Amino acid sequence: MGHTHRVAIIGCGRVGATTAFALLHTGQVEELVLIDTDRARAEGEAMDLAHATALLAPARVWAGDYADAASAAIVIVAAGRASASRDESRLQLVGDNVRITRQIVGELAAVGFSGCLLMATNPVDVLAQIAASASPLPAARVIGSGTLLDTARLRQLLATACALDPRSVHAHILGEHGDSEIVAWSSAAIAGMPWAAFGAQAGVELAPEAILDSVRGAAPAIIERKGATNFAIGAALARLVSCILRDEHSVLMVSTRLAGEYGERDVYLSVPCVVGGGGVERIIELDLSPAEWAGLHRSAEILRDVARRVAA
Ligand code: NAD
């Protein structure tokens, strides 16, 4: 690993810039390098962000190039095209963003980057898989943001319905970051109780189907209104960076390569992962219901199919 507290962000559009801002708020990043094919944009964001360090925490922020990413502890990839409209699914973005991902991974390999590579560009599971196979890094250090964001949305929705802090809600979204994702309701807990028991005691009606629909529909609903999503993904990526820099061993829902866990292998999708300094250090196997198990395999099949078509 290189500079322990250097982070590079490749792609400084809405997601990349917001992630940079979220990272500066953590106070854990000492050096932040912004890389973008639109150099002026990277420079403008770096100048604006650098001014914020006088008010947040000291950090050196600059617009750089791949040589600056060589010794970073973490590289975040948010480069590429986002959904142009609410009708364009994440999987439709695949062609353009596969090309961009391969180019970036090649550049990082050429400079000898050896830290953790965090993928945010969509379709994130497929691109994390492509990045991992094109990169000399071990799969544990190539991580997709996966359903970290969707899980945050789920917890926030459940918490709002129950008038609770989302941090008191433990419910996970597994599978694709996209339409085939599933909620592991069988292990979902609110305030330490099974979610349905909590709902009954609190007199709150929790409708699982409607809640999952709201989570799945969140990105299109936001894109329709403001053109993109950026704040929650920025917070999710900053959380992931903290986990790695602080070697936290927190359990996060991120997209990782399965190697037999959940009866799947050679596919990237989200499951609960222990995340620390080495990236994904362990995969937790939840005790899923038969319907959840079937849903997860359907999601794996969809992702494997896209990855196969893209690699062809
Ligand atoms: P954006 O258009 O605002 O920014 C993309 C940036 O990437 C631009 O600045 C562009 O110049 C740059 N870029 C393009 N090709 C590049 C290359 N080869 N090298 C370096 N930089 C390059 O888009 P955005 O709204 O920031 O979204 C970025 C990506 O993040 C999209 O794919 C979007 O779908 C994805 N996203 C993912 C999640 C998630 O949960 N994983 C959430 C929101 C958005």
Side-chain angles (χ1 to χ4, degrees):
M1 289 253 194
H3 291 263
T4 346
H5 295 284
R6 178 180 294 187
V7 174
I9 300 181
I10 304 178
C12 310
R14 291 159 296 193
V15 172
T18 310
T19 302
F21 191 51
L23 283 174
L24 291 181
H25 278 83
T26 68
Q28 285 157 18
V29 175
E30 290 161 7
E31 299 182 327
L32 191 54
V33 190
L34 306 184
I35 300 171
D36 200 296
T37 40
D38 182 348
R39 178 74 183 202
R41 179 166 200 162
E43 285 173 0
E45 296 294 9
M47 290 159 74
D48 198 1
L49 287 159
H51 300 153
T53 63
L55 303 159
L56 300 172
R60 196 161 81 84
V61 188
W62 73 102
D65 46 41
Y66 283 91
D68 298 302
S71 61
I74 298 172
V75 168
I76 300 170
V77 178
R81 211 163 64 71
S83 296
S85 73
R86 64 169 295 151
D87 300 324
E88 187 176 30
S89 83
R90 293 182 183 96
L91 293 184
Q92 285 172 291
L93 297 173
V94 76
D96 289 347
N97 290 348
V98 163
R99 251 177 289 117
I100 292 171
T101 299
R102 287 204 169 115
Q103 178 239 324
I104 290 170
V105 170
E107 304 262 19
L108 289 172
V111 296
F113 168 68
S114 62
C116 283
L117 181 61
L118 309 185
M119 294 296 305
T121 309
N122 276 319
V124 69
D125 303 290
V126 172
L127 294 182
Q129 179 156 359
I130 284 169
S133 51
S135 162
L137 297 171
R141 294 217 293 272
V142 181
I143 306 172
S145 64
T147 58
L148 188 55
L149 171 58
D150 316 62
T151 295
R153 288 173 173 151
L154 173 70
R155 292 170 68 204
Q156 191 271 338
L157 282 168
L158 284 169
T160 302
C162 299
L164 283 175
D165 178 343
R167 293 172 299 181
S168 300
V169 174
H170 296 279
H172 309 294
I173 297 208
L174 278 69
E176 176 197 0
H177 167 58
D179 296 338
S180 70
E181 65 195 8
I182 63 147
V183 180
W185 290 111
S186 56
S187 62
I190 301 177
M193 293 167 71
W195 65 275
F198 180 88
Q201 191 186 87
V204 180
E205 186 104 26
L206 296 170
E209 291 299 323
I211 289 169
L212 179 55
D213 282 350
S214 300
V215 172
R216 284 180 180 158
I222 296 168
I223 289 168
E224 188 177 35
R225 289 165 173 80
K226 58 172 261 193
T229 67
N230 57 316
F231 289 112
I233 180 62
L237 290 165
R239 175 81 188 94
L240 191 46
V241 167
S242 289
C243 244
I244 295 167
L245 290 181
R246 289 162 40 84
D247 193 23
E248 284 184 7
H249 299 98
S250 291
V251 177
L252 297 181
M253 304 302 300
V254 287
S255 192
T256 191
R257 182 158 77 194
L258 298 185
E261 299 86 357
Y262 294 92
E264 292 287 352
R265 59 178 61 249
D266 296 331
V267 65
Y268 259 78
L269 48 71
S270 289
V271 290
C273 295
V274 179
V275 180
V280 170
E281 299 186 340
R282 199 147 48 94
I283 289 173
I284 309 290
E285 292 194 71
L286 295 176
D287 201 4
L288 298 178
S289 72
E292 291 160 0
W293 185 260
L296 187 65
H297 288 295
R298 194 165 55 245
S299 200
E301 212 35 65
I302 288 168
L303 289 168
R304 217 190 320 269
D305 188 50
V306 178
R308 211 181 285 130
R309 273 188 283 135
V310 164

